[in-house]
Amino acid sequence: MNEAAWYAVYTRSRHEKQVAEYLERQRLETFLPLRRTWSSRQDRRVTIEIPALPGYLFVRTVLYPETRALIKRSTGVLRLVESVGRPAVIPDTQVVSLRTMLAYAFNAEGHPFLKVGDRVRVVRGPMVGAEGYLVRVADSKHRLVIAVEYVNQALSVDIDAHYVELAD
């Protein structure tokens, strides 16, 4: 536990930059993923940077109790992201991948995190409006199952990953 690791910090809405600045003043290494986008002003279009993962930033540290208290002391911090009751270590490869993507892509945008078992709705293509359960997640194709409840029957079909979104 004496090796620095990345941890995700969950912040109040629109407090990501303030929390990052506070943690940097406390000499903690932070990473606030920002994406570039267009902002339409009345007289011109300008490029602005907004949080790529709204409500989250990352801090790399050895998480001693004093350090954890220091992180939570910021007025914009709600909590550290946890897994099984302990702060979740974010793999270095995921942080590096985020940095790389955001450094080179102008059009990066949020995408729903879909996982096997999620109820999804088709929003594009010939099957618009159909709802079902995601049973397989692949690089570009998902496997969608349309189940007919009460008769215990179902059909499945491959569908483009960009055609589905999480259903309510």
Side-chain angles (χ1 to χ4, degrees):
M1 181 93 179
N2 288 338
E3 194 170 315
W6 286 104
Y7 297 93
V9 178
Y10 184 53
T11 69
R12 293 182 189 278
S13 180
R14 300 179 186 232
H15 281 74
E16 302 90 351
K17 290 181 182 179
Q18 295 92 321
V19 171
E21 289 169 3
Y22 167 79
L23 295 175
E24 287 168 2
R25 283 194 308 270
Q26 304 306 314
R27 294 193 170 90
L28 292 173
E29 180 182 356
T30 64
F31 171 53
L32 172 58
L34 297 172
R35 66 182 179 95
R36 294 181 302 274
T37 188
W38 291 108
S39 173
S40 296
R41 309 281 185 199
Q42 291 203 355
D43 58 337
R44 66 194 186 287
R45 282 180 51 161
V46 297
T47 303
I48 60 171
E49 288 188 324
I50 61 173
L53 304 174
Y56 295 93
L57 65 103
F58 303 94
V59 61
R60 182 177 173 84
T61 187
V62 178
L63 203 58
Y64 295 119
E66 305 81 30
T67 310
R68 189 173 181 173
L70 182 70
I71 293 169
K72 293 174 103 175
R73 196 173 301 144
S74 173
T75 55
V77 171
L78 293 174
R79 62 183 162 78
L80 285 168
V81 175
E82 295 183 346
S83 174
V84 195
R86 298 182 57 90
V89 174
I90 308 299
D92 288 346
T93 55
Q94 291 179 10
V95 174
V96 169
S97 296
L98 274 173
R99 282 186 196 266
T100 303
M101 175 192 286
L102 293 169
Y104 294 104
F106 179 81
N107 59 349
E109 58 185 57
H111 190 276
F113 184 77
L114 301 176
K115 60 188 179 305
V116 170
D118 284 346
R119 184 155 181 80
V120 295
R121 177 182 315 106
V122 179
V123 293
R124 286 194 277 291
M127 296 186 289
V128 167
E131 289 190 15
Y133 294 94
L134 207 57
V135 295
R136 187 181 71 222
V137 177
D139 289 340
S140 62
K141 293 276 187 188
H142 290 339
R143 187 84 181 162
L144 177 69
V145 170
I146 306 296
V148 181
E149 296 179 32
Y150 303 115
V151 296
N152 298 325
Q153 297 291 315
L155 297 173
S156 71
V157 64
D158 282 329
I159 189 163
D160 188 298
H162 297 95
Y163 284 16
V164 296
E165 69 178 19
L166 201 57
D168 297 330

